[in-house]
Amino acid sequence: MKLGNREMAALMAARDGAPAGAMAGAMAASLAPPFPERPITIVVGFPPGGGDMLMGEIARYMGEELGQELTLDYRLGAAGNIGAASVARSARDGYTIFLAGRPNIFHRLMYDEVDYDFSFDLAPVGMVARMPFVMVTGKHSPLTSLNDVMAPAPTHSQGFTCAFSEIGTTSHILGGFLQQTVGIRLVNAPYHGVVEALADVIGGRTDLLISPLPMALPLIRSGNIKPLVVMARERAAALPAVPTTGEFRLPGAETEGWYALMAPARTPRPVIATLNRAVNAALARPGLKERLEQLAYMPAHPADNTPERLRAHLADETEKWTAVLMDRNIHPLH
């Protein structure tokens, strides 16, 4: 057998005293086919109009870095967990990855029928971006601020209808949090995605919606909906005149959503590393950061965006939000 440069390097390392395990690892890596050799699929678990806008921007640059096309595949249901479970069962080769968000860490508490474990069956690749949430109402609504929701007029003595995009999403959790913390009376109205919910807010068929800011921003700018409060500590650059839940002293409602890429567990480390480098190379592209910020996303910082940091973030998020759900007795609504 004729040996190539990488095979010769592995043998020389062994000759110079490298451990047998290191030699075996080096040989295995040298004999593995280059990655990627074909297009990569990114599974999106939410309806169009959400994280796919973000991922569409980034996937093009990742494809240029990897020399392969990245395509989006929508597998909807259970607040993104149908798509996550499908990726968890995929081949561990890096050719099928998942765009994850916070609802995926609720899967065990919100969905008894989910047959995968997010913490063990998926491996972190890298953070993509964060985004704030905003409470909005229709342009013809008499509501002008969160105060009007907290102290409703007699016409709304029975409470407000509040849309959210599927049980177990962050908007659903935040609505339940506001009900229990502030005593706001909300009649929950689940929808199949934010786009459908926004349409009913515009038409006056539901009073309120807690939405990721990137999805609501175009309709806010066009005047079709009104922002009442941004659910964050600091005011959003895209909506500098809109107050935050921090200003209303509502600790716990100051939360950001996030999107991250995950691969099936036990995907080879060199493959994970290649995907991580591609994500960070895309995020470092001139102009992309500004483009994402215009869309109200906060892109991850390439300098410290590692799988290890994402793993730690996911562990912190799981611990924090599991405690919130348990302490406040927030359950799925049917």
Side-chain angles (χ1 to χ4, degrees), residues 3-81:
L3 299 179
N5 291 336
R6 287 184 296 178
E7 290 86 348
M8 287 297 298
L11 290 175
M12 291 178 68
R15 184 200 66 186
D16 292 339
M23 174 187 173
M27 286 293 291
S30 70
L31 296 174
F35 174 83
E37 291 186 302
R38 62 179 190 271
I40 295 170
T41 298
I42 302 175
V43 172
V44 179
F46 300 94
D52 59 320
M53 297 191 304
L54 166 72
M55 204 61 236
E57 294 280 343
I58 295 174
R60 176 164 56 91
Y61 292 109
M62 286 184 65
E64 292 177 5
E65 179 71 17
L66 294 169
Q68 294 289 345
E69 182 182 9
L70 279 74
T71 60
L72 304 186
D73 179 15
Y74 295 89
R75 301 186 191 180
L76 311 180
N81 286 295

Side-chain angles (χ1 to χ4, degrees), residues 10-333:
L11 290 175
M12 291 178 68
R15 184 200 66 186
D16 292 339
M23 174 187 173
M27 286 293 291
S30 70
L31 296 174
F35 174 83
E37 291 186 302
R38 62 179 190 271
I40 295 170
T41 298
I42 302 175
V43 172
V44 179
F46 300 94
D52 59 320
M53 297 191 304
L54 166 72
M55 204 61 236
E57 294 280 343
I58 295 174
R60 176 164 56 91
Y61 292 109
M62 286 184 65
E64 292 177 5
E65 179 71 17
L66 294 169
Q68 294 289 345
E69 182 182 9
L70 279 74
T71 60
L72 304 186
D73 179 15
Y74 295 89
R75 301 186 191 180
L76 311 180
N81 286 295
I82 298 298
S86 73
V87 175
R89 294 189 293 266
S90 296
R92 302 161 185 167
D93 55 12
Y95 288 100
T96 303
I97 57 179
F98 179 63
L99 181 63
R102 179 178 292 113
N104 296 118
I105 67 175
F106 301 147
H107 67 301
R108 289 294 188 190
L109 292 173
M110 290 287 152
Y111 295 95
D112 293 335
E113 70 275 15
V114 169
D115 61 350
Y116 85 107
D117 191 310
F118 183 79
S119 299
F120 293 98
D121 295 334
L122 292 168
V125 172
M127 182 67 73
V128 177
R130 295 177 171 83
M131 74 279 187
F133 281 74
V134 61
M135 179 184 284
V136 299
T137 190
K139 67 178 181 181
H140 300 300
S141 169
L143 304 174
T144 60
S145 77
L146 184 60
N147 284 326
D148 296 331
V149 181
M150 295 170 67
T155 53
H156 284 89
S157 59
Q158 300 302 311
F160 301 93
T161 53
C162 184
F164 62 87
S165 58
E166 292 196 90
I167 294 166
T169 57
T170 302
S171 61
H172 169 215
I173 301 303
L174 286 172
F177 179 84
L178 289 175
Q179 288 184 83
Q180 297 197 11
T181 303
V182 188
I184 294 175
R185 300 187 67 180
L186 301 177
V187 179
N188 291 281
Y191 286 80
H192 295 295
V194 175
V195 173
E196 181 183 323
L198 282 166
D200 272 9
V201 172
I202 292 171
R205 291 177 289 276
T206 188
D207 299 313
L208 301 168
L209 168 65
I210 298 173
S211 168
L213 179 54
M215 281 156 260
L217 189 59
L219 292 170
I220 293 173
R221 287 172 171 166
S222 67
N224 285 293
I225 57 176
K226 298 184 296 186
L228 302 180
V229 64
V230 173
M231 308 187 85
R233 292 184 180 86
E234 299 178 358
R235 295 199 177 196
L239 296 175
V242 180
T244 69
T245 48
E247 294 171 52
F248 284 91
R249 297 183 180 179
L250 297 177
E254 307 160 352
T255 189
E256 297 171 347
W258 49 264
Y259 288 111
L261 287 177
M262 310 287 289
R266 295 179 293 283
T267 295
R269 288 187 180 182
V271 172
I272 295 285
T274 298
L275 290 169
N276 177 266
R277 285 194 297 271
V279 173
N280 288 326
L283 292 172
R285 285 292 187 98
L288 181 61
K289 180 175 183 291
E290 291 74 13
R291 170 62 178 157
L292 295 181
E293 289 175 344
Q294 289 173 0
L295 296 172
Y297 290 106
M298 296 168 281
H301 299 290
D304 57 1
N305 187 26
T306 65
E308 292 74 24
R309 282 184 177 269
L310 176 55
R311 187 182 300 279
H313 171 76
L314 295 175
D316 290 345
E317 281 276 280
T318 301
E319 181 180 3
K320 170 186 173 181
W321 286 97
T322 298
V324 168
L325 294 177
M326 300 295 287
D327 291 347
R328 302 193 177 278
N329 199 30
I330 298 174
H331 296 294
L333 301 175

